[in-house]
Amino acid sequence: MKFFVDTADINEIRDLAATGLLDGVTTNPSLVAKTGKEFVPLIREICAAVPGPVSAEVGATEFEPMLEEGRYLATLAPNIAVKVPLTPAGLKVCKALGGGGTMVNVTLCFSSAQAILAAKAGAAFVSPFVGRLDDIGEDGMGLIAEICQVYMAQGMETEVLVASVRHPRHVVEGARLGAQVATIPPGILRQLFQHPLTDKGLAQFVADWRKSGQKILPAGVEPLKALA
Ligand code: E4P
């Protein structure tokens, strides 16, 4: 499963990219607004910080201005995925941009019927918002299961991008169900590394190692030189 980070905060993105485990970034107008930065230069900066797809969302809702914005966004960097809403205009833009080789992420997907339309429009990614469905008492992961099943049955190549992630189980369940991507807020991405038994076990190993007085590197060899 690919991991995208769901943020427009360039410091968070750089920090997480340094782990070598980050495959891309998703932004949206609300996340960009939080940074207080100008959109286009910010997107250029993010695209330079990660090699994988960076979703940049259009602001227009009508077909022609949306297409114009999408075409412009696609010129910003080779790793741009233009993000469009799951509306008739958005899907029309998706088809037009996708036909020209631009990656498109169709966002705000809340049903399998919508996901089928996104795939028919040639989307590279469809983003079902699992957390927002859970928030209203619906079953976000049930939607991921159904979309994965339908895409598999139909041989549809659009990647299922689990969005609106609220906790690590959303990521694990998405992976189990066959979703290709999860976009994860930075705090939850860091949570994936953690387990109290890892901390406890490591503390014990460190204490026992110190007590044993053993060393791995030969005397006089500095750590980085030992690797050379
Ligand atoms: C997806 O690309 C969206 O940016 C995002 O996952 C929205 O999540 P939210 O429901 O936490 O705002």
Side-chain angles (χ1 to χ4, degrees), residues 85-207:
L86 210 155
T87 59
L91 293 180
K92 221 169 135 188
V93 169
C94 175
K95 188 134 190 136
L97 293 177
T102 298
M103 280 185 286
V104 180
N105 176 359
V106 177
T107 191
L108 292 167
C109 172
F110 293 95
S111 77
S112 298
Q114 289 180 319
I116 293 170
L117 291 172
K120 283 179 71 69
F125 307 102
V126 67
S127 294
F129 277 35
V130 297
R132 292 193 194 186
L133 280 171
D134 291 355
D135 290 347
I136 59 160
E138 291 194 21
D139 180 9
M141 294 321 299
L143 175 61
I144 298 296
E146 191 174 65
I147 296 172
C148 287
Q149 199 181 3
V150 169
Y151 278 10
M152 178 84 85
Q154 294 293 323
M156 288 171 157
E157 288 173 3
T158 298
E159 295 194 358
V160 179
L161 194 167
V162 181
S164 186
V165 162
R166 299 276 192 264
H167 47 70
R169 282 311 299 177
H170 275 152
V171 180
V172 176
E173 278 298 294
R176 189 175 69 82
L177 294 166
Q180 291 87 350
V181 194
T183 188
I184 314 168
I188 297 172
L189 197 34
R190 291 199 178 88
Q191 254 183 288
L192 298 183
F193 288 87
Q194 293 159 12
H195 196 285
L197 290 179
T198 304
D199 299 338
K200 192 176 166 203
L202 182 60
Q204 185 66 58
F205 287 158
V206 168

